[in-house]
Structure formats: C-alpha cells, structure tokens
Amino acid sequence: MKTTEMFAAHPRKLTMDITAITECINSLVECADVCTCCADACLGEQMVQDLTKCIRLNLDCADICQTTARILARQTDTVPQLLRTQLESCAVACRLCMQECEVHSEMHQHCRICRASCQNCEKICQDLISRLSEGTRTTFL
Amino acid sequence: MKTTEMFAAHPRKLTMDITAITECINSLVECADVCTCCADACLGEQMVQDLTKCIRLNLDCADICQTTARILARQTDTVPQLLRTQLESCAVACRLCMQECEVHSEMHQHCRICRASCQNCEKICQDLISRLSEGTRTTFL
Amino acid sequence: MKTTEMFAAHPRKLTMDITAITECINSLVECADVCTCCADACLGEQMVQDLTKCIRLNLDCADICQTTARILARQTDTVPQLLRTQLESCAVACRLCMQECEVHSEMHQHCRICRASCQNCEKICQDLISRLSEGTRTTFL
Amino acid sequence: MKTTEMFAAHPRKLTMDITAITECINSLVECADVCTCCADACLGEQMVQDLTKCIRLNLDCADICQTTARILARQTDTVPQLLRTQLESCAVACRLCMQECEVHSEMHQHCRICRASCQNCEKICQDLISRLSEGTRTTFL
C-alpha cells in the first residue's frame, strides 16, 4: 500500500504518528476485504443456513472498517472525538465478527483467516484509541 | 421510501418497533444524501478555502450515516451492542457536521439545509439509542 | 428527500434538468435501501440456500446504486462520460437483480417489492442515459 | 493482503484465474485508498480552488474502485456481464482521475502518486475485461 507515501506528501500536520495511522488504515482495509470475501464464501457453502450470523456480522464489519479507514485517511481539519467514537464502534464490530468466525473456524478455513484479520484489526484500533486519548490529555493540560 | 413495506415482509422478529427503525433509516439515508450534496456544493463555491472543514465533516458524516443505515436495515441475527455503538458514532458525526454547517448557514443555503438534516438525524439516532438501552435493560431483568 | 432543495442551492450550473437528476437520485437511494433489506430478509429465510443468487445480486445492486447516487449527486466539474458508464453499469445491476427477484416473487413479498424497485430504477437510469446522449450530441454540434 | 488465501478457501469454482482476481482486487483497494488520501490532501492545500476537479474525480474514483473491488471479491453465483460493465466504468474513472492528477503532478507529490495508482489500476481492469471477454467467447462456442 502507498498510504505512507501519501501521508508524507500531505500538506497539513498529521493528527498522529504516521506509522500508527498507516498501520491502522492497512489493517482496516485488509479486514474489510477479508470480511467481504468471508461473507461471500459462507454464502457459497452447502451449510449456509448455519452461517447466517457470520454472514451478517461479516457484512457489518466490512462496512464499518471501510468507513473507519476513510475517516482515518482524512487528515485535513480532523476532529479527534469523531475519529475516536468511530474507532470504538469498529473495535466492537471486529470483536463480534471474530467471535462468530471463531465458532466456524474448525470447519471453514475462510472463517479461520477472517478471525485472525478481525482480531488483529481490533487490537490495532484499540492501540490507536489509546494514543488518541493520550494526545487529547496532553493537548488539554 | 419502501422501508416499512420491506420490514413488514421480513421473516424474522424485528429488534425494535418498526416505525422507529423506519424513521431512523429514512433520516440516515436523507442525511447521507444531503451531506454528499453539501460537500459538493461547498467544493463548487468561489470561497472553497473557507469551507474545507465543512467539506471534510460532510464527507465523514455521509460515510457514517450510510454505514449506520445499512447496519440498522439488517434485522437477521442482530447484535444490539454493535448497533448502539454505531448509532453513537453517527450521532457525534451529525452533531459536529451540524455545528460546522451552522457557521456557514447565513452565507450558504446548502449549509442551512444540511444543518437541519444533521440536527434531525442526530435527534433520531439518540432516540433509538434510548430505546435500545431500555430494550436491553428489559431483556436482562 | 431534500435533494431538490440542495440542487436549487448549488453554486454551479447543473449538468442536466434538476427534476431528472433528483428523480434518478431518489430512485437509486431507494433501490439501494430496498436491496440491502432484501439481502437481509433472504438471509433470514428458512430456505436461504435457494436464495444465494438473490442475496449476491442484492448486495452488488445496493453497492452500485449507492455509488451511482453519489456520482450523480456531485455537480461540480462533472465529466458526463463517467456518469454515463456508471449509469450503464447500474442499469445492468438493476436488471439482473430484478430478474432474480422475479423468480422468488411468488414466494417472498420482499422479493416482490425489490423487483419493482429495481425495475423502476433501471428505467430511470436508462432515461438519464438517453438525456445524457442527447446533451452530448447537442454540445458537439 | 490475504485475498489469495481467502480465494483458495472459497467453496465455489472461481470465475477466473485466482492470480488475476487477486491482483485486480489489490489494485482497486489500493487505488481507492490513494484517491481518498489525494482528495483530502488537495483539500488541505492553500490552492484548493485550483484542485476542485481533482478532488471531485478522486471522490468518484474512490467510490467506484471500492464498489468494483466488492463485486469482484464476490465469487458465489457471479454474473460475468455485471462484473464487466462495472470494470469498464472503473477503467473510465481511473483514466479520468489519472489525467486530472497528471495536470497537478509537477506541483503536488500526492497527485503524482495518485496518477501512478490510477494508471496501474486502469491497466489491470482492462486486462481483466479482456480475460472476461475471452472466457465468455469460449463459453458460448
């Protein structure tokens, strides 16, 4: 991904460390892609009836990760509060999707890969939320 | 919008009152549309330089409203916690976008209309969050 | 929808008749919403296995209608060629989704409503494509 | 990206060569991300007034690439005709965005990177369209 190069070329001061932003966007974009694939792979399974909750959470998680990636990619006139609440919602989506994929991961390799992507993405969102909170505290002291 | 008819035809028990869900989806969809139009109208103004924060928040608010509408439109195997955190993030997005449109609403009619859409959408998201909290409380008692 | 008011407040000359643009955006937004609901209602049916093609086309049609609505909502520095190819792709998505919903419309009310939304949206996209072609011809004479 | 692993785990027969699909999805996802960043970087420039067409095309291209990536990521019950028309619209979006970024690429490094991403993505979409046409021809002979 060329995200790092794009941020290095951005005219405004970034809201956070460039490595942290880039890592988070890359995780969000990958998780959105993997969840879209997992929803579709589940839909293609013979036992689709057992996978409806997984499909539903995959679709939600893909939508939320994509939206969160866009908001994080925007660095002009950022309001940290909005970024934080969206990252919190995204961390919840990733955790719920991970838990549901976990249930099917012995049976389906696509759920196993998706579980790992969601777990990683939740962790990275939480890390960024911590950094944002520290940043806000520093700013207001 | 045919949202009410679609929910009346849904095979599963809805998570909430059909009127409340429909009203919220319609507000979210309208707010997303109005924010997309407002970002573009701002971009077309001579004084675009004064409107960059407005454009940025319009884009964020459009993305978040659209994603929230999709999650609310899904009624199969709903996890109320995810719906609630996403509605909370959406209410923040609407409030921030409303506040910024307010600044330009004497000057630009499109910001005046967008301010009203965001204000309405924030209120309706908050109402649904209250209903969800009541529902959750009832369920666990 | 407040689309008409937003376009009346737009600082640039619109690419087409305001009524035609507004009608098309409203159809696209409604069709996206209905397709998202239909995918989810199909997923909630006992016989979901018979509805996988319908779910898949619903998801595609929802994504394409939403993207097409955004592109049409933007009236600053429009390139008509891009609008036309995207409307063409959208008309194909609506037609295919309509045909698949047709297959299930005796059985499922949500497929019946979705079929009608897709049919209407395809027609309105085709009308706008015709207008765009006329516009282009006039411009180049 | 874990796209290749996800397709290797898919229960259905893929519509095309796994390497070609994966390469195309990765290009679309990268181009969407770069276009979102470029729109925002342009918005943050002092001379934003000279960049309105670039911002507008960046937003269109980001939306279209993201939607096209989702449609290509779905491999259950694919209708090749829809994939082809959407890839065609995407190739147009990438070409127009590339041409506009070209205009500003001496001045802005972010437009230079974005031009390269769009150029690459257009080429890869065209390659996939050619493969699809061959596939269709073979199928009908």
Side-chain angles (χ1 to χ4, degrees), chain B residues 10-27:
Chain B
H10 201 286
R12 302 281 184 100
K13 195 178 167 301
L14 302 186
T15 44
M16 272 172 300
D17 174 57
I18 190 169
T19 316
I21 302 175
T22 303
E23 186 190 38
C24 192
I25 290 179
N26 290 351
S27 302

Side-chain angles (χ1 to χ4, degrees), chain D residues 45-123:
Chain D
E45 295 287 353
Q46 291 272 315
M47 58 196 315
V48 53
Q49 192 117 36
D50 301 337
L51 293 162
T52 58
K53 190 176 182 186
C54 195
I55 293 172
R56 194 259 146 97
L57 284 169
N58 278 321
L59 295 175
D60 286 0
C61 195
D63 286 338
I64 291 181
C65 284
Q66 235 171 40
T67 285
T68 309
R70 282 176 168 224
I71 287 158
L72 185 54
R74 296 184 188 122
Q75 292 287 324
T76 295
D77 300 322
T78 297
V79 182
Q81 186 199 359
L82 179 54
L83 179 55
R84 189 163 49 238
T85 57
Q86 189 53 42
L87 282 166
E88 280 164 3
S89 180
C90 193
V92 171
C94 290
R95 191 170 61 250
L96 291 169
C97 194
M98 177 197 74
Q99 286 167 352
E100 185 59 28
C101 279
E102 176 94 40
V103 176
H104 311 285
S105 64
E106 295 233 345
M107 201 72 163
H108 302 298
Q109 169 72 0
H110 49 81
C111 290
R112 199 147 58 245
I113 302 167
C114 191
R115 185 188 56 69
S117 256
C118 291
Q119 188 168 30
N120 176 55
C121 194
E122 190 211 345
K123 194 197 158 301

Side-chain angles (χ1 to χ4, degrees), chain A residues 60 67 74 78 86 89, chain B residues 56 60 67 74 78 86 89:
Chain A
D60 285 0
T67 284
R74 295 183 189 122
T78 296
Q86 189 52 43
S89 180
Chain B
R56 194 258 146 96
D60 285 359
T67 284
R74 295 185 189 121
T78 297
Q86 189 53 42
S89 179

Side-chain angles (χ1 to χ4, degrees), chain A residues 98-113:
Chain A
M98 177 197 74
Q99 286 168 354
E100 186 59 27
C101 279
E102 177 93 41
V103 177
H104 311 285
S105 64
E106 294 233 346
M107 203 72 165
H108 302 297
Q109 170 72 359
H110 48 82
C111 290
R112 198 147 59 245
I113 301 167

Side-chain angles (χ1 to χ4, degrees), chain A residues 1-91:
Chain A
M1 302 284 283
K2 292 178 178 169
T3 322
T4 312
E5 290 176 56
M6 286 305 283
F7 286 130
H10 201 286
R12 301 283 184 101
K13 194 177 166 302
L14 302 186
T15 44
M16 272 173 300
D17 174 57
I18 191 170
T19 315
I21 303 175
T22 303
E23 185 191 39
C24 192
I25 290 179
N26 290 352
S27 302
L28 289 162
V29 162
E30 181 186 282
C31 193
D33 179 42
V34 167
C35 284
T36 300
C37 290
C38 192
D40 181 73
C42 288
L43 195 64
E45 294 286 353
Q46 290 272 316
M47 58 193 317
V48 54
Q49 192 118 37
D50 301 337
L51 293 163
T52 58
K53 190 175 182 185
C54 196
I55 293 172
R56 193 259 147 95
L57 284 169
N58 277 321
L59 295 175
D60 285 0
C61 196
D63 287 338
I64 291 181
C65 284
Q66 235 171 39
T67 284
T68 309
R70 282 177 168 223
I71 286 158
L72 185 54
R74 295 183 189 122
Q75 292 287 324
T76 295
D77 300 322
T78 296
V79 183
Q81 186 197 358
L82 179 54
L83 178 54
R84 189 163 50 238
T85 57
Q86 189 52 43
L87 282 167
E88 280 164 3
S89 180
C90 193

